[in-house]
Amino acid sequence: MTEREPEVFVICPTTSIARGEAKAFSLSRIGDNGEARPFPIVIVHTAAGGFVGYVNACPHEGKWLNIGSGQFFNAEQTLLRCGRHGATFEIDTGLCNTGACAGQSLEPIALAVIDGEVCLCGVALVEDVSFPDPFDDLDETMEIMIHPD
């Protein structure tokens, strides 16, 4: 039996998430049947400077933690908070300490910081291998430039 290298996918530069902030990402992973499935995650740049990540789903109902303004934290920025029903979770462990899912935990994801990039490890993601359309940014309107001659 040969060992395979763990799959590592770059998610974002470390500089794209400020210390003490969190950011959601909507990815697609390869399911057991080989088809693409949504894989929402949240990455937290902790106040101590590290990075932790979780599947962006509250254990209570499986819905995203962030709603409305997109905030992930309680008012004091000391706990992750479910925006739907107010359950709070420890940032470093994902353990729910108040709310309908007390005692349960957010599903952790394995992260690594490699060359200034936050990377997801051990999850087979669907990679976007398509080539960008060079005309994708063009809209239907004409550009007119007026030169004072």
Side-chain angles (χ1 to χ4, degrees):
M1 182 173 171
T2 60
E3 285 199 33
R4 296 185 322 165
E5 289 286 318
E7 298 195 55
V8 177
F9 292 90
V10 172
I11 303 300
C12 66
T14 56
T15 56
S16 70
I17 306 173
R19 201 177 264 214
E21 295 294 322
K23 192 170 187 178
F25 296 89
S26 295
L27 309 175
S28 292
R29 69 176 162 188
I30 300 171
D32 295 337
N33 61 0
E35 293 184 13
R37 291 186 18 216
F39 187 54
I41 65 170
V42 56
I43 297 176
V44 181
H45 191 168
T46 66
F51 290 87
V52 295
Y54 301 100
V55 173
N56 188 3
C58 179
H60 178 229
E61 294 180 341
K63 307 280 188 202
W64 287 9
L65 296 172
N66 56 316
I67 61 169
S69 63
Q71 292 299 311
F72 283 97
F73 299 103
N74 63 348
E76 298 81 23
Q77 300 282 103
T78 57
L79 297 167
L80 292 170
R81 180 179 180 275
C82 176
R84 286 182 171 70
H85 63 275
T88 57
F89 304 86
E90 295 174 2
I91 293 171
D92 291 330
T93 66
L95 178 66
C96 179
N97 50 27
T98 61
C101 50
Q104 296 181 40
S105 294
L106 297 172
E107 183 182 339
I109 57 173
L111 297 178
V113 175
I114 303 169
D115 296 329
E117 304 279 352
V118 179
C119 302
L120 175 66
C121 306
V123 176
L125 295 180
V126 176
E127 293 188 76
D128 184 5
V129 293
S130 63
F131 294 101
D133 182 351
F135 302 106
D136 203 24
D137 290 339
L138 298 178
D139 61 13
E140 299 289 324
T141 59
M142 291 177 38
E143 270 188 45
I144 299 173
M145 296 184 70
I146 301 174
H147 297 280
D149 286 351

